[in-house]
Amino acid sequence: MSKRAVVARALRRVAAWCAAVAALAAVTGFCYESVARQGDPPAPGRLVDVGGHRLHVRCTGSGAPTVVLEAGLAESSASWDAIQRGLPGRVCAYDRAGYAWSQDGPAPRTADRAAAELRALLAAAGEAGPYVLVGHSYGGTIVRLFAHRWPALTAGLVLIDVTDENATEALQVSRPLLAAQFTVNQALARVGVLRLFGDALVPADATAAARASAPVVYGAGSMGAARAEAWAAADSAAQVRATVRPGRGATCPSWSSSPRGSPRRRPIRPDVSPRCPAAAVSSSPAPRTTTCSTPSPAW
């Protein structure tokens, strides 16, 4: 037998052993994840039917208007836990379809569909408007579409590091990359890797409840939901761009903030919907509203 044949045979044996070890590790991890999942914390809120699937929502406090917290891509209601605990009044945080404790929803997972499901959720949950909508990152896309479709239910917007709907090239380029990343994360979650090392994804100042929820928040279902939203992100951005209405002069109370700087108040551009209810409309460049300190959600 030639030297080349001996080397090739040895490599095949090594490859076979590696494949066997990988398969054994995957089966062991899957079994571990299946057992460990039984001990996951229950939903802290309640599941509400929105027409074919149920979404998880947790509301605290009382008063009006109700503040609705919309998380960014690959995050959930748990991301807002510290902020929700510190805000006065009625505050609701929820999980979009597929995330954390919410059930999967129909495709495609565009922002417009998410906005419609949020409207159905708030109505079914008995949470009366108008609402102050707080959106972080991709969540800002959703609340902007909500405000456009239901202006009478929108008392104001708080936008935190929102996705730029005009960055079409970046959205197209990032779509397959994010889809691949979330696919890998989903596979790792299914074999228990994210459960073992997912604590690294949780900020050091996370609340105890949020930290305990990490295996659910970053579970396989959430990663699948994030992949579906990332794949539809360009379409979602186009939906926001379609709300542009030249000549629309009304402005809506709106704040935007960045983790690197202090929150700043700014009106929605005059050529962009939504038109706000009369109590919230101002024709001046800066509506007379009280600024609020809005930290970026960090559990």
Side-chain angles (χ1 to χ4, degrees), residues 60-67 88-91 127-132 155:
T60 56
S62 60
T66 297
V67 176
R90 187 69 169 170
V91 184
E127 298 295 334
Y131 314 102
V132 174

Side-chain angles (χ1 to χ4, degrees), residues 31-131:
C31 294
Y32 160 73
E33 176 64 20
S34 299
V35 173
R37 194 183 302 131
Q38 306 304 315
D40 284 343
R46 56 189 176 122
L47 292 175
V48 178
D49 187 271
V50 295
H53 61 288
R54 297 190 298 168
L55 300 183
H56 168 251
V57 61
R58 175 175 173 258
C59 296
T60 56
S62 60
T66 297
V67 176
V68 179
L69 305 174
E70 183 73 66
L73 186 69
E75 296 295 343
S76 73
S77 58
S79 303
W80 297 103
D81 190 58
I83 292 176
Q84 185 170 9
R85 291 170 185 266
L87 287 176
R90 187 69 169 170
V91 184
C92 294
Y94 83 107
D95 300 316
R96 293 192 296 274
Y99 282 103
W101 295 278
S102 288
Q103 296 177 342
D104 291 333
R109 297 310 306 168
T110 60
D112 189 65
R113 184 185 295 276
E117 291 178 351
L118 174 58
R119 173 70 185 98
L121 170 65
L122 293 171
E127 298 295 334
Y131 314 102

Side-chain angles (χ1 to χ4, degrees), residues 135-174:
H136 173 237
S137 187
Y138 174 72
T141 301
I142 297 170
V143 299
R144 290 173 65 188
L145 289 171
F146 185 105
H148 169 69
R149 294 182 62 178
W150 296 282
L153 293 176
T154 306
L157 296 174
V158 179
L159 306 175
I160 308 171
D161 289 341
V162 293
T163 302
D164 182 3
E165 72 276 9
N166 294 309
T168 53
E169 183 177 353
L171 290 170
Q172 291 288 358
V173 170
S174 64

Side-chain angles (χ1 to χ4, degrees), residues 247-252 268-276 281-283:
R248 299 291 289 270
T251 59
C252 182
I268 297 296
R269 297 196 309 273
D271 61 337
V272 179
S273 291
R275 292 187 69 91
C276 300
V281 169
S282 168
S283 59

